[in-house]
Amino acid sequence: METASIIGILNFISRWILFLVVTYRFIKTREKGWALLMFAFFINALDIESYILDPLGIQIKEEVYEIAGMIPNFLISLLIMWGVIHLKNKRAEIRHVIGMGVYVSLVYLWLFFAATPFFDGLPFAIRVLPSSLAFGVSLMYLGIMLRRYIVRKKTIEELFPWGLILLGALNLMYPLIREMAGFVNVAFLLAGVFRVISAIGAVKFAFYPIMPPQRKREKILPKEIYLFTDSKEVEYMFPTLFLENNVIIITRKDPRTFQLGNDSIIYWITRVREGNIEDDPRIFAISPTKIDILVDLVAKGLKQGYNVVYVDAFEYLMLENGFKAAFKFLLSLKDHVISKNGTLILVVKLDALEEKERKLIEREFSKF
């Protein structure tokens, strides 16, 4: 098989893997940011000229070829930047809207300028620079954001953002190397390699299992459910709870205040950021509205060998989702814990609840 064919296959497969991974992430999280990235990667994977028009023997008109080639880069970069804004900030602020508006306006002016005779007199590097710059910068920005806030560091997952960063850097160089003899094929090969690297990390990021604890530690009393009204009661009753058990912690508190063994996992409920924060112990930030995802993560942890689930964030979850949804979340946790012969420790300020709510909690979670 010729080298060109291998490069084409690498690019084709890696493009669609990235699209499918981002799509899977959107389906799981239902977040606007991942939806925008899904469409960006879909346009990139579609590559109409290479994968649709060329096989059909349809040629783009020569007089509009360069303009048509710019449009996908501008669209993809817009969707990526917009998606990153939503992933990082959860919503677009006025400064983001103004920034996107300015960007669209500049693209509008550039495309019309590209249709004038003056454009033809410019060097090739200048003609393609804006679209390559937009595409490259957006990929690098996405990679930096993923590495900083989302993926776990020092794991295969890091290949996901690093591949995007390298691919973005390559696109920044494209206007300069495009007319260098022999460099074009090398550039396409590198693009395929970087996409494959990113795809490998993306698959690991999307489908990675909760790692099992290194040691089996189960020193807590053989009771399935504990209900406390204050975390100090837990400390008094189980002073070595977090050191002698493999614990999954769901908390609103600063996760670094817990004295933990290396085999504990903390899910910090916050809107400030999301994703992996530390690896030793493992601390993940997760939005309070993602309680369905949180249940799945806890269930996976119990299957892997974690024996205790500690929850002290019920009031915050109730504030963000309502009592009914938050209570349903607790019932789901309880069912998963019981099915795996684990222990659930729930800390709830019962005085802060209405009488009906308090009775529901006390009925389902026996007061210690």
Side-chain angles (χ1 to χ4, degrees):
M1 185 178 293
E2 296 182 359
T3 302
S5 298
I6 296 174
I7 295 173
I9 293 172
L10 284 176
N11 274 289
F12 178 82
I13 294 175
S14 57
R15 284 170 187 255
W16 282 100
I17 288 176
L18 288 171
F19 163 68
L20 292 173
V21 166
V22 172
T23 301
Y24 173 80
R25 187 71 177 182
F26 163 64
I27 293 172
K28 293 291 289 184
T29 63
R30 295 293 177 178
E31 286 190 344
K32 295 177 183 177
W34 289 111
L36 291 164
L37 292 178
M38 176 182 69
F39 285 109
F41 281 100
F42 175 70
I43 294 172
N44 187 242
L46 201 58
D47 194 2
I48 293 177
E49 180 186 4
S50 299
Y51 303 134
I52 297 179
L53 298 183
D54 283 352
L56 294 174
I58 301 173
Q59 300 294 319
I60 298 175
K61 293 180 179 180
E62 185 176 351
E63 59 269 24
V64 298
Y65 185 85
E66 283 197 31
I67 296 177
M70 297 177 195
I71 293 174
N73 283 353
F74 285 132
L75 287 176
I76 292 169
S77 61
L78 174 63
L79 289 169
I80 288 177
M81 298 298 284
W82 193 5
V84 170
I85 287 170
H86 276 283
L87 287 180
K88 186 178 178 182
N89 302 283
K90 303 305 177 187
R91 63 187 183 89
E93 299 176 0
I94 186 63
R95 59 190 176 94
H96 300 132
V97 175
I98 292 174
M100 291 295 101
V102 170
Y103 172 80
V104 171
S105 299
L106 292 175
V107 169
Y108 168 75
L109 293 173
W110 180 257
L111 289 177
F112 264 86
F113 173 69
T116 66
F118 298 100
F119 184 79
D120 296 334
L122 296 176
F124 174 82
I126 295 178
R127 295 202 306 268
V128 300
L129 179 61
S131 61
S132 292
L133 183 65
F135 186 52
V137 169
S138 65
L139 286 175
M140 294 181 72
Y141 184 43
L142 173 59
I144 292 170
M145 189 281 299
L146 289 173
R147 185 174 182 274
R148 182 174 297 177
Y149 298 109
I150 306 294
V151 305
R152 294 188 302 162
K153 295 179 175 59
K154 299 179 181 178
T155 66
I156 295 177
E157 291 178 27
E158 272 202 290
L159 294 177
F160 183 17
W162 275 118
L164 295 176
I165 292 171
L166 292 172
L167 185 61
L170 183 64
N171 275 275
L172 292 182
M173 298 170 58
Y174 176 75
L176 299 177
I177 64 176
R178 174 65 176 82
E179 295 184 323
M180 295 183 182
F183 277 87
V184 175
N185 290 334
V186 174
F188 279 116
L189 174 62
L190 288 176
V193 171
F194 295 156
R195 282 196 177 92
V196 169
I197 290 173
S198 186
I200 292 172
V203 170
K204 182 66 175 176
F205 162 70
F207 303 105
Y208 88 93
I210 300 296
M211 298 300 294
Q214 297 178 5
R215 295 177 294 168
K216 185 176 181 180
R217 300 180 303 177
E218 298 182 359
K219 298 294 180 66
I220 198 167
L221 295 176
K223 179 176 171 59
E224 292 175 344
I225 307 296
Y226 291 93
L227 174 61
F228 294 94
T229 57
D230 193 285
S231 58
K232 292 183 179 179
E233 297 177 9
V234 182
E235 294 175 9
Y236 176 78
M237 187 61 60
F238 306 116
T240 59
L241 170 69
F242 302 112
L243 296 175
E244 296 184 345
N245 294 275
N246 296 321
V247 188
I248 298 174
I249 300 169
I250 301 173
T251 186
R252 173 68 181 145
K253 299 178 182 177
D254 183 346
R256 297 175 183 84
T257 61
F258 290 89
Q259 293 184 350
L260 303 171
N262 291 334
D263 290 325
S264 295
I265 298 178
I266 295 181
Y267 292 110
W268 181 36
I269 311 301
T270 178
R271 284 185 174 275
V272 174
R273 57 182 300 186
E274 188 171 354
N276 183 63
I277 297 178
E278 290 185 7
D279 293 313
D280 189 17
R282 281 169 283 184
I283 301 175
F284 299 90
I286 187 168
S287 170
T289 58
K290 297 183 179 179
I291 50 181
D292 291 339
I293 295 175
L294 191 53
V295 169
D296 290 339
L297 291 171
V298 172
K300 289 179 181 179
L302 291 168
K303 289 179 182 179
Q304 292 286 3
Y306 290 88
N307 67 303
V308 177
V309 178
Y310 173 91
V311 183
D312 67 10
F314 175 74
E315 291 88 344
Y316 184 55
L317 293 174
M318 183 178 70
L319 178 66
E320 292 287 340
N321 301 280
F323 176 81
K324 185 177 180 180
F327 182 65
K328 183 179 178 181
F329 164 75
L330 290 182
L331 293 179
S332 296
L333 286 186
K334 176 184 174 182
D335 292 342
H336 284 295
V337 168
I338 291 175
S339 68
K340 295 299 179 183
N341 297 317
T343 299
L344 174 62
I345 295 179
L346 177 61
V347 181
V348 179
K349 296 185 183 299
L350 296 175
D351 293 341
L353 303 178
E354 295 181 2
E355 182 178 355
K356 182 180 179 180
E357 296 170 346
R358 183 171 64 250
K359 288 182 178 180
L360 284 172
I361 294 287
E362 289 177 337
R363 185 177 66 189
E364 290 289 340
F365 304 92
S366 56
K367 179 78 166 63
F368 180 78

